[in-house]
C-alpha cells in the first residue's frame, strides 16, 4: 500500500507542476511553420538583426496564450542574442495614464541599465530620457521590446504614450518593437488617425485550439514520462488506463461539454488542474469520475447555488417581485414588494409572515447577493425602501431553484407556476363555504 | 518634449566648477561614482602620456620657432585654469624626436607669426585657441586624426617609411601592390607566385597567411641585410604608435602648442579583444581624452566611417576604419552617431551641430567663449557630475547613457550579407529618410519661399503658415527637409542665422507647457510656464531691446497644432499673436490634420492663422508608386505589379504613404519568411526567386485592412456559434439591434430544443456571452446585469452568416441565418 501511495503523490505533484508551467505547454504546439510562435519570433528577431522598428498586435480572446507565446519568444531570443534585448512591460490596467506609463518606462529602462532613477522627474524629462535611451540603444545595436498588455486601454484619451512611442520609432534610428496584446479584435481601430498611420499594422491572431489539438495536448500533459523516477510498472499502468479513458464515450462527452462552452487553452488547463487534484490517491490513477467532478465544479450554476442559500422569506420576496413583473409593473421598490407580499399573505393565508424590518434585512441581503439590484444609479442618497429595484434572476432559474430548495413551502412553488390561479379559486370556494 | 534641443549647452543653469582641461582618465567618473565599475585600472593611455611628459617641474620656454603658422586664431580667457603643471620640459631641440626645423618659411608667414606674438604679449597667461595650426610643415585642424608617438626614446620610431615595401622583394617601387586582407602585408603583383595580372575582386589572402591558416609553419622571407622597416600603420596596429583625434588646439602662454585629443584604440586593446568580425584596419574611438603636446605628433592619418572607407580607393596606407565608439570605463561599444550630413534623420545631433554654428559665429564677434565649454564641446558624454545623479531627471542631463552599450559587437551586425529582400525591408523602413522627397516639390518650394521670404528680409515680418493634410502625407517631413536645405544654405553663408524650434503638440505634457519649451529653446533657461509666457511676451513685443542673439529670426514649427486648443484658446492666441508684433521676427508654421481648424477657432485666432494655408492632399497611386520605387531603386525585390497593386490599394483607402511603405515592407517580410521557412526544408532549397509577388502584397493588405472577426467566429466554441446565431435570429425576428440577455436565452433555448441540442444553462450562457463581448464580436454590458444585460452585434449580421453558414459541426445553423 505504502509503496503504491508514494508514486501516486509524486505523480500528482508532477502533473500539477506540468499543468502550471504554461510556457512549456505552449511550446508544445509551436513547431508548425505557420504557428504564431514562429511568426512572432521572426518579426522580433528581424528587428534585432536588421535594426528596424516594428509594431505588432497580438489579438485573440482571453486564454489563447498570447502572453505565453510572447514569453517563449523573448526567452528564446534572449538566449540567442544575450545582453542585447531589453524588455519593458506595461499593463493597460496599471499604466493607462500617459505620464504614469512614461515614468514606468523610464524606471524600467533605468533598472535595465543600472542607472539611477528619480521619482521626481517630470514627464517631459522622462520622455526625453526615453528618446535618448532609444537612440543609444540603436547605436549599441540593442533592441528594446515594449510590451503593452491590455493594449486597448492605452488607446483611451489622447493616446500620447502610443504617439510618442510610435513617432519615436519612425524618427529615431533605434531598434524597438512595440508589442500590443489585446482581447479586443478591433483594438487597432481604436487608435487615432495619426497614431494609426504610424503603427505598422502587423497583426497576429490567436485562435482557440481545435478539439483535436486539445486532445493531443491532454495526452501530452497527462501522460507520465517513461524514463523518470516513477516505478516503471506504475507508469505503464497509469498511461494505459489514461489511454483507455480517452477512448471512453463518457469522457468524450465531458470534454465536449467543456469545449462547447469555451475551448481556450487556459480554460482546459484550469479544468485539468481541478481534475488532477481530484485524483484518488488510494488507487493512484485518474478516472472519469475525477473529470466529471471537475466539470461540475468548473461549470457551476451560480445563480441556483445562491438561491439555495436564501431564507424562505427571501424566496418570498423574489417570488413577489416575479409576480409584480408578471403584472407588467416594470418599476417597483421595496414598498411595492411589501404590498404584494402582504397581498399574498392576505389572500393565501401563508404561515410565515415577517415584520417589515425583518423583511428589509432580507431585502438588503438579496441586494448583496446580487439576486436583485437597483434599477438605476440615480438617487444614491435615498433610503433603500424607495429606490426602484430589478430582479436579476430569470423566472426559469427561479422556478428551478425553488424546486431544488429543500424545505420550500408548497405554496411558494405554486405561486410561481400556473397552479396558483386554481388554488385561488379553491380558496374562494372555501371562504364561500365559511 | 518635441523641440529640437538647439541650445544644448546653455541649459546648464550655472557654470559648473571649472573642470581642468587636462583631464586625465584617472579623474574619470569611476572615481566619483560609487556604482561605476572598477575597470579603468591604469589605462595604458594615461600612463603612456604621463611618461611622454617628462620632467614636469622645469617649464622652459621653447625657443621661438619659425615653423608655427597660425590661422584663424581665437583668443579666449580661461577663467580659472591654472597653468598646466605638467609641461613638457625638454626643449624641442633637445628631444630626440624633435622635428627638423623647416628652413623655407616665407615672409608673410613670418609676419603672421609676429602678430601672434604681439597678441600673446597683450594677453599674458592666456591660452590661445586655434582652429587650425601649421606645425612642422603640416596643417593640423580640429577634427584631424594624427599618429602620436608612443615612446620618446624608441629609435625605431624615427624611421617612417611612407611607402610600404613589398614583403617579398623588399622594394617599394612604383608598380601596383596588392594588400593581403589578413596580415595587411603588401605584395607586388609580379612577385607573387604565380604572378597576378591584375588585382582580383573581393578578398585576397597571401600565401603566407594561407599557409598559416592551414596549420603549416610559415617562414616569412627576411629582408637581406637590413631590418624589416615598418610603416606607421603597422606600428599602430601592433600598438607601438597611437592614433588620436584632435578635439581642440591651443598654445600655452609659454609658446608650446598643445592639443586635446581623443584616443583611438585597436581592437586588441579592448576588453573584448579582437572579435572575429573586426577588420584588419579597424579602430575604435574611445571616450578617453588627453592633452598632448604637438611635439609628439608624427603625422596625419585618416580614420574614416565605413561609408567613406569603402569609397576611399586611393587612400594610401594610413587609412583606417572606425565605426564604433569604445567606452573605456564600461568596456562597451556603441555605433558612432554620424553627426555630419550623413544621417539626416538624426535630429539631436543635427541641432547640436546647428548650435555649434551659431556659437562659432558669435565667438567671432565677441570672442568670449568659455574655456570650459570649449573643453566640454568634444566630450559631451563624459560628464563628470559631482555627485550621483538620476539618469532621467533634468539635472542629470540624461546622465549615465554611456553605460548603454554592447559588451561585444554582435556578429550578426557585421558578418552577414543582406539578402535582396532584407535590403528592401531596410529601405522601406519609415525611419530611413530618403535622399529626396518625391512628389512634394511644389509644396517644398512654397514652404521654402515662405520661410525665406520671412527670414531673409531685413525687416523680418512675422508670419504664419497653416499646413494641413491627412496623416502620412509628408507634412512634417517636407518642412523638415526645407529646414535642412535652409541650413545648408546657411552653412554656405548665403543667408543669415536664424533659429529653428520644433514642437510637437502631442508630446507636450499640457498645452501651456509650450511656453516653457519655446523659452527654453530660445534662451536656454528653464522657467515655469507663466514666467516663460511673460518673458516671451516681453521678448516678442519689446522693440527697443536689441540683444545680439535675440535678433535672430525664429522659425517655430508646431506639429499637431490642434492639441494646443484649450478651452479659452489663449495658448494658440498668444502664439499666433506674437508674429504680428512689429519686431518679433517670429515665423510660425502650424501643422494639423483637419482642414478647417482655423474656422473652428475663435475669429481672432482664425484671422491670424488662416491667411496662408497649404494643403497636402493624399497621395494618388502614381505618387505612391513613385515614392516606393524611388526607395527601392537598385534593389530588385518587387514585381512591378506588386508595387502598383499596393499603391493603388492604399490610394483608394487613405493615400497614406506610411501605410503604403508598411504594406510593402510587410510583403517583403512575408516573402522573406516564406523563403526562409522553405529553405529550411531540404526539398525546397532552390524554390523560387527571391521576389515579392502579388500574393505577398495581398497577404500584407489582408493583414492590415481585414478585421479578424470572421476568422474568430469560425473558430469559436460551439456554444458561441449558437449564441451568435440566436442573436441574428433575434435581430431578424424583432428588427431591433438591441436585445437583452433574457430574451436571447429564451430564443436560444428554443433553438436548442428544436434542433436536439442540450440547453447549457443560464450561467454558462452568460459566460459565453461575456466572452464574446470581450472580443467585441458583440457589444454587451457587464455580466453582473444578468438577464437585463443589453446585447448587440458589433458586426453586420451578414458577416456572422458568412462565417457560420457552413460550419461542419452545426449544419442546422444555416437555417436561421
Amino acid at each position: 500500500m505504502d509503496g503504491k501511495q508514494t508514486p501516486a503523490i509524486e505523480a500528482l505533484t508532477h502533473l500539477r507542476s506540468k499543468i502550471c508551467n504554461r510556457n512549456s505547454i505552449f511550446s508544445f504546439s509551436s513547431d508548425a511553420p505557420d504557428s504564431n510562435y514562429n511568426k512572432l519570433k521572426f518579426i522580433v528577431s528581424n528587428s534585432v538583426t536588421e535594426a528596424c522598428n516594428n509594431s505588432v498586435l497580438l489579438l485573440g480572446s482571453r486564454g489563447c496564450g498570447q502572453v505565453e507565446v510572447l514569453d517563449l519568444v523573448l526567452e528564446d531570443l534572449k538566449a540567442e542574442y544575450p545582453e542585447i534585448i531589453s524588455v519593458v512591460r506595461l499593463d493597460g490596467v496599471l499604466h493607462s495614464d500617459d505620464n504614469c506609463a512614461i515614468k514606468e518606462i523610464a524606471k524600467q529602462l533605468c533598472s535595465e541599465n543600472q542607472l539611477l532613477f528619480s521619482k521626481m522627474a517630470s514627464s517631459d524629462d522622462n520622455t526625453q530620457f526615453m528618446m535618448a535611451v532609444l537612440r543609444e540603444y540603436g547605436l549599441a545595436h540593442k533592441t528594446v521590446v515594449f510590451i503593452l498588455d491590455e493594449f486597448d486601454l492605452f488607446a483611451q484619451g489622447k493616446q500620447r504614450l502610443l504617439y510618442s512611442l510610435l513617432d519615436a520609432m519612425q524618427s529615431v534610428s533605434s531598434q524597438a518593437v512595440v508589442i500590443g496584446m489585446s482581447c479586443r479584435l478591433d483594438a487597432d481601430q481604436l487608435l487615432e488617425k495619426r497614431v494609426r498611420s504610424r503603427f505598422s499594422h502587423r497583426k497576429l491572431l490567436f485562435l482557440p485550439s481545435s478539439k483535436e489539438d486539445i486532445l493531443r495536448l491532454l495526452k501530452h500533459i497527462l501522460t507520465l514520462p517513461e524514463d523518470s523516477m516513477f516505478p516503471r510498472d506504475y507508469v505503464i499502468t497509469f498511461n494505459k488506463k489514461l489511454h483507455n479513458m480517452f477512448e471512453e464515450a463518457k469522457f468524450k462527452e465531458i470534454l465536449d461539454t467543456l469545449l462547447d462552452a469555451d475551448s481556450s487553452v487556459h480554460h482546459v488547463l484550469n479544468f485539468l488542474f481541478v481534475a488532477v487534484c481530484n485524483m484518488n490517491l488510494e488507487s493512484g490513477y485518474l478516472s472519469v469520475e475525477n473529470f466529471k467532478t471537475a466539470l461540475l465544479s468548473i461549470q457551476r450554476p451560480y445563480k441556483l447555488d445562491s438561491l439555495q442559500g436564501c431564507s424562505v422569506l427571501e424566496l418570498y420576496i423574489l417570488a413577489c417581485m416575479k409576480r409584480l413583473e408578471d403584472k407588467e409593473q416594470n418599476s417597483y421598490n421595496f414598498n411595492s414588494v411589501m404590498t404584494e407580499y402582504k397581498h399574498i399573505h392576505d389572500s393565501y393565508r401563508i404561515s410565515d409572515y415577517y415584520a417589515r424590518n425583518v423583511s428589509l434585512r432580507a431585502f438588503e441581503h438579496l441586494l448583496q447577493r446580487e439576486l436583485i439590484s437597483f434599477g438605476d444609479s440615480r438617487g444614491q442618497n435615498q433610503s433603500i425602501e424607495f429606490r426602484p429595484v430589478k430582479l436579476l434572476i430569470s423566472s426559469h432559474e427561479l422556478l428551478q431553484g425553488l424546486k431544488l430548495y429543500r424545505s420550500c413551502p408548497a405554496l411558494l412553488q405554486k405561486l410561481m407556476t400556473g397552479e396558483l390561479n386554481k388554488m385561488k379559486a379553491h380558496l374562494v370556494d372555501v371562504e364561500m363555504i365559511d | 518634449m518635441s523641440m529640437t534641443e538647439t541650445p544644448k549647452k546653455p541649459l546648464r543653469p550655472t557654470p559648473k566648477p571649472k573642470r581642468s582641461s587636462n583631464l586625465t582618465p584617472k579623474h574619470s567618473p569611476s572615481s566619483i561614482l560609487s556604482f561605476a565599475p572598477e575597470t579603468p585600472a591604469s589605462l595604458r593611455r594615461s600612463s603612456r602620456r604621463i611618461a611622454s611628459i617628462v620632467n614636469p617641474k622645469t617649464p622652459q620656454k621653447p625657443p621661438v620657432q619659425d615653423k608655427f603658422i597660425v590661422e584663424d586664431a581665437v583668443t579666449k580667457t580661461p577663467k580659472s585654469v591654472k597653468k598646466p603643471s605638467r609641461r613638457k620640459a625638454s626643449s624641442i631641440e633637445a628631444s630626440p624626436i624633435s622635428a627638423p626645423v623647416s628652413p623655407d618659411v616665407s615672409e608673410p608667414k613670418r609676419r603672421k607669426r609676429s602678430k601672434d606674438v604681439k597678441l600673446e604679449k597683450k594677453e599674458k597667461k592666456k591660452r590661445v585657441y586655434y582652429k587650425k595650426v601649421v606645425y612642422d610643415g603640416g596643417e593640423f585642424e580640429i577634427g584631424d586624426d594624427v599618429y602620436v608617438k608612443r615612446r620618446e626614446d624608441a629609435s625605431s620610431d624615427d624611421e617612417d617609411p611612407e611607402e610600404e615595401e613589398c614583403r617579398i622583394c623588399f622594394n617599394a617601387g612604383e608598380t601596383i601592390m596588392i594588400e593581403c586582407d589578413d596580415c595587411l602585408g603588401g605584395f607586388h603583383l609580379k612577385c607573387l607566385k604565380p604572378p597576378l595580372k591584375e588585382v582580383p575582386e573581393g578578398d585576397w589572402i597571401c600565401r603566407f597567411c594561407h599557409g598559416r591558416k592551414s596549420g603549416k609553419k610559415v617562414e616569412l622571407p627576411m629582408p637581406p641585410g637590413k631590418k624589416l622597416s615598418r610603416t606607421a600603420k603597422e606600428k599602430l596596429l601592433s600598438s607601438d604608435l597611437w592614433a588620436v583625434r584632435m578635439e581642440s588646439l591651443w598654445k600655452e602662454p609659454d609658446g608650446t602648442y598643445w592639443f586635446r585629443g581623443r584616443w583611438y584604440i585597436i581592437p586588441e586593446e579592448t576588453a573584448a579583444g579582437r572579435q572575429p568580425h573586426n577588420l584588419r584596419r579597424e579602430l575604435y574611438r574611445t571616450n578617453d581624452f588627453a592633452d598632448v603636446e604637438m611635439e609628439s605628433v608624427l603625422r596625419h592619418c585618416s580614420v574614416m566611417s565605413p561609408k567613406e572607407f569603402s569609397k576611399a580607393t586611393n587612400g594610401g596606407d594610413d587609412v583606417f576604419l572606425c565605426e564604433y565608439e569604445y567606452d573605456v570605463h564600461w568596456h562597451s561599444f556603441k555605433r558612432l552617431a554620424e553627426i555630419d550630413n550623413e544621417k539626416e534623420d538624426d535630429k539631436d545631433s543635427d541641432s547640436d551641430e546647428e548650435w555649434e554654428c551659431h556659437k562659432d559665429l558669435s565667438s567671432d564677434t565677441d570672442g568670449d567663449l568659455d574655456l570650459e565649454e570649449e573643453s566640454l564641446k568634444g566630450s559631451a558624454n563624459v560628464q563628470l557630475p559631482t555627485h550621483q545623479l538620476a539618469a532621467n531627471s533634468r539635472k542629470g542631463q540624461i546622465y549615465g547613457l554611456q553605460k548603454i552599450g554592447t559588451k561585444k559587437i554582435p556578429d550578426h551586425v557585421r558578418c552577414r550579407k543582406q539578402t535582396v529582400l532584407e535590403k528592401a525591408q531596410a529601405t522601406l523602413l519609415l525611419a530611413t529618410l530618403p535622399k529626396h522627397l518625391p512628389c512634394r516639390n511644389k509644396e517644398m518650394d512654397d514652404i521654402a519661399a515662405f520661410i525665406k521670404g520671412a527670414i531673409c528680409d531685413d525687416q523680418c515680418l512675422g508670419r504664419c503658415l497653416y499646413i494641413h493634410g491627412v496623416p502620412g502625407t509628408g507634412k512634417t517631413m517636407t518642412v523638415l527637409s526645407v529646414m535642412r536645405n535652409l541650413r545648408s544654405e546657411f552653412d554656405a553663408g548665403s543667408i543669415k542665422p536664424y533659429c529653428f524650434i520644433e514642437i510637437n503638440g502631442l508630446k507636450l505634457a499640457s498645452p501651456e507647457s509650450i511656453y516653457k519649451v519655446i523659452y527654453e529653446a530660445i534662451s536656454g533657461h528653464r522657467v515655469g510656464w507663466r514666467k516663460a509666457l511673460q518673458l516671451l511676451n516681453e521678448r516678442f513685443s519689446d522693440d527697443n531691446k536689441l540683444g545680439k542673439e535675440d535678433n535672430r529670426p525664429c522659425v517655430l514649427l508646431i506639429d499637431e497644432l490642434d492639441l494646443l486648443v484649450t478651452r479659452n484658446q489663449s495658448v494658440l492666441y498668444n502664439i499666433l499673436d506674437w508674429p504680428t508684433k512689429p519686431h518679433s521676427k517670429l515665423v510660425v508654421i502650424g501643422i494639423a490634420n483637419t482642414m478647417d481648424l482655423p474656422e473652428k477657432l475663435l475669429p481672432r485666432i482664425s484671422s491670424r492663422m488662416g491667411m496662408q494655408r497649404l494643403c497636402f492632399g493624399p497621395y494618388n497611386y502614381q505618387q505612391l508608386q513613385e515614392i516606393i520605387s524611388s526607395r527601392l531603386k537598385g534593389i530588385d525585390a518587387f514585381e512591378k505589379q506588386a508595387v502598383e497593386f499596393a499603391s493603388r490599394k492604399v490610394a483608394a483607402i487613405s493615400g497614406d504613404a506610411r501605410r503604403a511603405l508598411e504594406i510593402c515592407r510587410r510583403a517583403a517580410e512575408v516573402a522573406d519568411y516564406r523563403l526562409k521557412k522553405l529553405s529550411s526544408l531540404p526539398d525546397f532549397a532552390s524554390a523560387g526567386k527571391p521576389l515579392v509577388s502579388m500574393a505577398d502584397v495581398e497577404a500584407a493588405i489582408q493583414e492590415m485592412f481585414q478585421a479578424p472577426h470572421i476568422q474568430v467566429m469560425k473558430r469559436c466554441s460551439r456554444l458561441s456559434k449558437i449564441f451568435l446565431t440566436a442573436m441574428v435570429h433575434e435581430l431578424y425576428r424583432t428588427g431591433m439591434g438591441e436585445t437583452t440577455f433574457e430574451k436571447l436565452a429564451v430564443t436560444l433555448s428554443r433553438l436548442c430544443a428544436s434542433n436536439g441540442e442540450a440547453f447549457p444553462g443560464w450561467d454558462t450562457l452568460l459566460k459565453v456571452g461575456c466572452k464574446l463581448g470581450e472580443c467585441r464580436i458583440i457589444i454587451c454590458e457587464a455580466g453582473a446585469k444578468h438577464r437585463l444585460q443589453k446585447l448587440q452585434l458589433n458586426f453586420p449580421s451578414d458577416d456572422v452568416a458568412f462565417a457560420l453558414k457552413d460550419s461542419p459541426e452545426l449544419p442546422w445553423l444555416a437555417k436561421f441565418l
Side-chain angles (χ1 to χ4, degrees), chain B residues 749-764:
Chain B
S749 69
R750 247 185 249 133
L751 284 183
C752 283
S754 62
N755 292 287
E757 197 73 37
F759 183 71
W762 285 61
D763 291 293
T764 316

Side-chain angles (χ1 to χ4, degrees), chain B residues 547-582:
Chain B
K548 271 174 197 128
E549 237 183 337
D550 282 351
N551 217 7
R552 278 182 293 158
C554 184
V555 181
L556 178 63
L557 170 67
I558 306 176
D559 214 341
E560 315 294 354
L561 190 72
D562 48 329
L563 264 295
L564 295 181
V565 179
T566 47
R567 189 182 287 169
N568 60 6
Q569 306 181 0
S570 62
V571 176
L572 264 187
Y573 176 77
N574 281 331
I575 288 171
L576 296 172
D577 193 38
W578 292 328
T580 61
K581 301 274 165 62

Side-chain angles (χ1 to χ4, degrees), chain B residues 169-200:
Chain B
C169 68
F170 301 102
N171 295 318
E174 292 296 305
T175 43
I176 304 168
M177 288 191 8
I178 184 169
E179 189 179 85
C180 169
D181 282 307
D182 202 33
C183 66
L184 293 184
F187 298 89
H188 281 130
L189 288 182
K190 60 177 172 25
C191 293
L192 293 168
K193 282 179 228 168
L196 287 169
K197 283 256 161 55
E198 52 191 14
V199 178

Side-chain angles (χ1 to χ4, degrees), chain A residues 232-242 285:
Chain A
R232 196 173 160 70
D233 48 342
Y234 173 73
V235 172
I236 289 172
T237 19
F238 186 93
N239 288 346
K240 202 176 156 199
K241 283 202 176 189
L242 199 68
Y285 301 109

Side-chain angles (χ1 to χ4, degrees), chain B residues 11 15 115 119 136 181 190 234 238 270 281 302 310 316 365 368 380 448 462 469 477 580 603 689 731 789 799:
Chain B
L11 292 187
K115 230 195 284 173
L119 206 106
D136 195 12
D181 282 307
K190 60 177 172 25
E234 280 167 353
S238 53
T270 62
R281 284 179 180 273
S302 61
S310 61
T365 50
D368 189 47
M477 194 161 69
T580 61
K689 250 173 43 186
L731 173 73
Q789 180 194 31
D799 283 6

